[in-house]
Each structure stands twice: as structure tokens, then as C-alpha cells.
């Protein structure tokens, strides 16, 4: 018998691209467990597994052959990547997201004899290979920013440009999160990863925000010699999505906004712009429930934006001249982003506006990231320090990530040129 081999293609590729995985040299019908193992920058181990049977030629192709068990079932070419979760001996509820974009995530692909359950000791290894997942392409430049009051990183694609400009923001975890910006630059956008609290000399906590900070960032990007005008776009998740709504509403520089799992009202921190203030909807800590496993569910905790008493918090998005792409997971348990999306769409329609597209994904949870980002139903909240339920079902969430990523790029290219 020939030796068992596993081939992964490309061996080094971009993190938002599919990988082809093939196994050869097995006996016809032989049961095997495929495992993926990766470590984050701190050395925390993540793993996933799936059960397969070789075909009549003793081969397997993850693009056409179905998994019969393990962490997922069915034909899922990227299942081993998006189902990566902390290994049994690690602290649970951790996310596998890159802290630095300059080094690849290395994933080891292992073929084990027989079918072994997740968490159990697998059978002997019969073949293995390593694959590198890069978050930036050769020639993409990363420029750290200290420009007036603006902080962050600007990622520029290779070449002379000019390129469509996009500001990229995440949610209430704070700090600088760069991996989506570097992938956007790889896809031809000049992407500014914009932190807005808990980074360098920015405010430590979300107490209040001045829209002037975001205006300064938009003007900086708009005037950059490598950026195609006249307007720029913004993409945000969670609190970042809500800030994106305010930016496109009040700042003429912003002409396209991608809002992922956001709220249509201003939340938590008051937002000031000149003489205007949008108060923040508050969280009622008494409405947070805690499971027996100690997982916090914040779904009911945000004040009701439909309550007339809370109308001063509503972002008047009907004033926006630009275009909206609203992306939500229907199983988001962080908060009611499906409802908030309906409220936003209803408000635009009420004012005779059709400048929006809504992508609503059944079974997807809160944080809809670029493709193959490992699904994390519960994650430790960096501010609260406790595990918080984000919702979603692994496979549906993975499919939402893959589909929305293409749609986001199409939308931004359409409205930014």
C-alpha cells in the first residue's frame, strides 16, 4: 500500500480564501478523523475535528465529501477552520482572532485512524500537513497613525491607486483590531482601522464620544493622495456599526456605511457633535440573565428604542445622502440587532428612502467577521470580564460570514468607485 498523504492547497494563502484539502492512500471506505490545530499569539491551542470515510479509490476531498460527525456534518470545505475552538485544557470562551496582521496563522491538518469524538484522544496520526493563513498580501503597506487627534493603522494596497477609502471599526471591546482592514486592503481598499477608546491616548472607557473625532478621521482619509474621492465608506460591527450610522447621517464625507449587528439608536455613551447631543440608550443590569454555566445573556438588557421616552437616542438616518448595507444575524443574542435593522429600514422607507440593502441571516450570531473566522458562540467580554452569549449556530454563522464578505466588497466598490 502507498503511504497516506494529505495535500492542502494553497499551502500559503489569504485568510478569506478557501482551502482545498485532499487525502490519498487510504483503504476504500476507511474511517478517519481529520483534525485542525492552531495556536494564537499567546500560545493558546485551538482545535477542531470531523469524521470522514474514504471513497472507493481510498481518497477524500473535503470539497465534495461529507463529514459524518465531529464538530460539523455535511460537505463543508472550510469546516475545520471555522469550527476551531479552544482545546480542552485551555480557558473556554476565547476567540481565535489575529492580534498582528504581519504574521500568518499556522494551521496543522492531521489525519487520524478511526473516528474519535471531539475532546477524546484521537487514533494514530497517518498523515499531516501545515497551511498558512495570511491576513495581508505582499505589497500591502501598514502605516501607524498619529494624525492630529486620530489614532489607528492605515492599510494601503500595492500600486499607485487611487483606491476607494474605508474606515473600519469594531465594538465595545475597544483597542485596535486590524485583521479586517488588512484583508480589505488586500482586496483593493485603502482601509483605516480606527480605534475610538482604550488605545494609546484615547479615552480609557466608553463614557462619551465626540463625532468630531470620526469627522477628523473621515477627512484625513478623504484627503489622502492614495484615496479615490469624493466620499469615503465606513464598516462597523456592534457599537462600531452604530457609530457608522451616525457618521453617514451627519458627515457629508461618508457616502457608504456597512453596519453589522448594530443598533439604530445611539447606545451607552452620549454622542456630541457641535451643539447637538444624542443621549445613549442604557443597559439595565437587572435584565441580564446568567445560565448555570455562568454565561451572561444580555439580549433583553438594552432599553427599548421603540419607547417614545427613548426617541432622543434615535439616529436620524433619514438625513443621510449616502447608502446603507445592514447586515444582521437573526440569532444574535448580544442584543436585538434584527429588530434594530427593521426599525432602521422602516424609518428610511417612512421617509421615502430606498438607499439601503438588508442582509439578514437565519442562524447567524452577533459577530459576523470575514470568511472562516472561527465561530465563537460565547466569548469573554473584555470590559465585563465574564462570558457573554453572542448567539448563532456554527454552520449557519460560517455561511453568513462567507456570503456577506462578498456582498460587502460589492457594495463598497459600487458606492465608492
Amino acid at each position: 500500500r502507498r503511504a497516506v498523504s494529505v495535500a492542502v492547497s494553497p499551502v500559503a494563502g489569504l485568510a478569506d480564501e478557501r482551502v482545498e484539502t485532499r487525502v490519498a492512500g487510504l483503504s476504500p471506505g476507511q474511517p478517519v478523523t481529520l483534525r485542525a490545530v492552531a495556536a494564537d499569539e499567546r500560545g493558546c491551542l485551538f482545535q477542531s475535528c470531523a469524521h470522514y470515510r474514504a471513497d472507493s479509490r481510498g481518497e477524500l476531498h473535503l470539497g465534495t465529501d461529507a463529514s459524518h460527525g465531529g464538530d460539523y456534518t455535511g460537505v463543508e470545505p472550510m469546516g475545520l477552520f471555522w469550527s476551531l475552538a479552544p482545546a480542552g485544557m485551555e480557558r473556554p470562551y476565547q476567540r481565535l482572532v489575529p492580534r498582528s496582521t504581519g504574521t500568518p496563522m499556522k494551521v496543522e491538518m492531521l489525519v487520524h485512524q478511526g473516528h474519535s469524538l471531539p475532546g477524546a484522544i484521537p487514533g494514530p496520526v497517518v498523515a499531516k500537513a501545515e497551511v498558512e493563513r495570511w491576513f495581508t498580501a505582499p505589497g500591502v503597506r501598514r502605516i501607524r497613525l498619529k494624525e492630529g487627534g486620530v489614532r489607528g493603522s492605515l492599510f494601503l494596497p500595492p500600486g499607485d491607486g487611487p483606491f476607494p477609502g474605508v474606515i473600519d471599526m469594531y465594538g465595545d471591546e475597544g483597542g485596535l483590531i486590524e485583521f479586517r482592514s488588512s484583508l480589505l486592503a488586500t482586496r483593493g481598499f485603502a482601509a483605516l482601522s480606527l480605534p475610538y477608546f482604550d488605545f494609546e491616548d484615547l479615552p480609557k472607557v466608553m463614557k462619551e464620544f465626540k463625532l468630531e473625532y470620526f469627522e477628523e478621521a473621515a477627512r484625513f482619509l478623504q484627503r489622502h493622495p492614495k484615496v479615490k474621492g469624493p466620499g469615503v465608506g465606513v464598516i462597523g460591527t456592534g457599537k462600531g456599526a452604530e457609530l457608522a450610522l451616525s457618521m453617514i447621517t451627519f458627515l457629508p464625507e461618508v457616502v457608504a456605511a456597512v453596519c453589522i449587528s448594530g443598533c439604530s439608536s445611539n447606545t451607552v455613551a452620549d454622542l456630541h457633535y457641535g451643539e447637538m447631543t444624542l443621549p445613549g440608550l442604557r443597559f439595565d443590569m437587572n435584565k441580564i440573565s446568567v445560565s448555570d454555566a455562568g454565561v451572561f445573556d444580555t439580549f433583553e438588557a438594552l432599553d427599548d428604542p421603540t419607547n417614545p421616552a427613548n426617541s432622543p437616542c434615535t439616529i436620524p438616518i433619514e438625513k443621510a445622502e449616502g447608502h446603507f448595507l445592514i447586515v444582521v444575524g437573526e440569532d444574535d443574542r448580544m442584543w436585538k440587532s434584527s429588530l434594530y435593522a427593521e426599525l432602521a429600514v422602516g424609518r428610511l422607507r417612512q421617509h421615502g428612502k430606498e438607499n439601503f440593502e438588508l442582509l439578514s441571516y437565519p442562524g447567524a450570531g452577533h459577530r459576523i467577521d470575514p470568511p472562516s473566522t472561527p465561530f465563537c458562540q460565547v466569548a469573554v467580554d473584555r470590559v465585563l470580564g465574564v462570558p457573554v452569549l453572542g448567539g448563532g449556530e456554527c454552520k449557519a454563522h460560517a455561511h453568513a460570514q462567507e456570503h456577506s464578505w462578498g456582498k460587502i466588497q460589492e457594495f463598497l466598490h459600487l458606492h465608492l468607485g
Side-chain angles (χ1 to χ4, degrees):
R1 275 183 53 200
R2 60 201 169 117
V4 179
S5 64
V6 55
V8 186
S9 167
V11 171
L14 290 164
D16 61 352
E17 286 180 349
R18 279 194 171 189
V19 168
E20 291 253 328
T21 306
R22 294 174 184 271
V23 182
L26 299 167
S27 310
Q30 183 178 340
V32 288
T33 298
L34 264 67
R35 269 175 81 230
V37 181
D40 68 9
E41 279 97 332
R42 293 166 304 193
C44 172
L45 273 184
F46 290 76
Q47 61 183 15
S48 59
C49 77
H51 300 162
Y52 289 92
R53 282 188 185 278
D55 64 15
S56 57
R57 297 189 307 276
E59 294 176 0
L60 265 183
H61 178 213
L62 268 55
T64 53
D65 293 326
S67 162
H68 305 292
D71 290 319
Y72 61 90
T73 55
V75 178
E76 295 294 338
M78 296 302 293
L80 287 169
F81 292 87
W82 50 248
S83 63
L84 282 162
M89 69 282 207
E90 300 289 357
R91 283 204 336 271
Y93 313 136
Q94 298 187 72
R95 284 189 194 285
L96 180 55
V97 287
R99 302 258 183 282
S100 102
T101 55
T103 52
M105 183 188 293
K106 292 180 178 174
V107 183
E108 193 170 31
M109 309 290 275
L110 301 148
V111 183
H112 296 266
Q113 278 181 24
H115 286 165
S116 49
L117 293 173
I121 295 171
V125 175
V126 292
K128 60 182 179 177
E130 189 176 76
V131 58
E132 290 185 353
R133 307 283 284 161
W134 285 86
F135 290 87
T136 181
V140 169
R141 283 174 42 217
R142 173 182 180 265
I143 302 153
R144 279 301 298 277
L145 280 194
K146 262 197 168 171
E147 194 72 33
V150 178
R151 302 291 173 263
S153 297
L154 177 63
F155 290 86
L156 293 174
D160 296 332
F163 308 103
V166 182
I167 292 170
D168 176 25
M169 300 180 294
Y170 270 92
D172 60 7
E173 60 267 60
L176 178 65
I177 300 174
E178 297 177 314
F179 74 102
R180 184 165 62 192
S181 303
S182 66
L183 285 172
L184 283 168
T186 294
R187 299 291 168 214
F189 297 92
L192 168 55
S193 182
L194 186 70
Y196 49 93
F197 77 102
D198 197 23
F199 181 73
E200 291 183 352
D201 55 357
L202 295 174
K204 267 278 160 253
V205 292
M206 287 203 298
K207 204 168 178 185
E208 54 179 2
F209 292 121
K210 288 187 164 57
L211 198 61
E212 282 83 356
Y213 172 76
F214 303 92
E215 181 174 52
E216 194 183 342
R219 286 179 175 168
F220 162 79
L221 190 61
Q222 185 192 35
R223 292 172 185 158
H224 195 283
K226 290 263 188 185
V227 172
K228 189 189 280 190
V232 298
V234 58
I235 177 171
T237 297
K239 178 68 185 175
E242 178 196 304
L243 287 163
L245 289 178
S246 292
M247 288 169 75
I248 194 172
T249 297
F250 297 111
L251 308 179
E253 296 84 0
V254 178
V255 299
V258 179
C259 306
I260 303 169
S261 309
C263 184
S264 47
S265 292
N266 186 53
T267 67
V268 184
D270 294 356
L271 182 69
H272 307 284
Y273 186 46
E275 299 292 297
M276 180 209 76
T277 296
L278 283 182
L281 284 180
R282 301 297 178 204
F283 276 95
D284 181 348
M285 300 314 260
N286 296 320
K287 290 186 179 167
I288 293 175
S289 61
V290 186
S291 75
D292 293 343
V295 174
F296 284 60
D297 185 342
T298 58
F299 188 65
E300 296 289 348
L302 188 67
D303 286 348
D304 179 5
T306 64
N307 181 339
N310 293 324
S311 62
C313 305
T314 305
I315 303 164
I317 55 174
E318 68 280 359
K319 294 181 177 174
E321 293 296 321
H323 291 263
F324 300 89
L325 178 63
I326 299 168
V327 183
V328 291
E330 293 174 18
D331 194 28
D332 183 349
R333 293 294 305 179
M334 195 75 77
W335 59 10
K336 301 176 182 180
S337 55
S338 280
L339 168 68
Y340 308 149
E342 283 171 31
L343 294 175
V345 164
R347 190 174 179 94
L348 290 169
R349 284 206 170 116
Q350 201 183 331
H351 288 84
K353 297 263 187 161
E354 289 294 332
N355 56 341
F356 63 88
E357 188 182 348
L358 171 64
L359 298 176
S360 185
Y361 295 101
H366 180 70
R367 199 165 139 160
I368 298 172
D369 274 325
S372 303
T373 302
F375 171 68
C376 193
Q377 190 182 48
V378 175
V380 173
D381 186 279
R382 221 185 49 85
V383 182
L384 301 172
V386 296
V388 174
L389 184 61
E393 181 276 314
C394 199
K395 190 189 289 197
H397 190 90
H399 292 179
Q401 291 191 147
E402 186 156 356
H403 183 264
S404 62
W405 186 237
K407 288 290 195 185
I408 286 165
Q409 292 173 66
E410 273 173 34
F411 170 84
L412 291 171
H413 277 302
L414 177 64
H415 297 294
L416 302 176

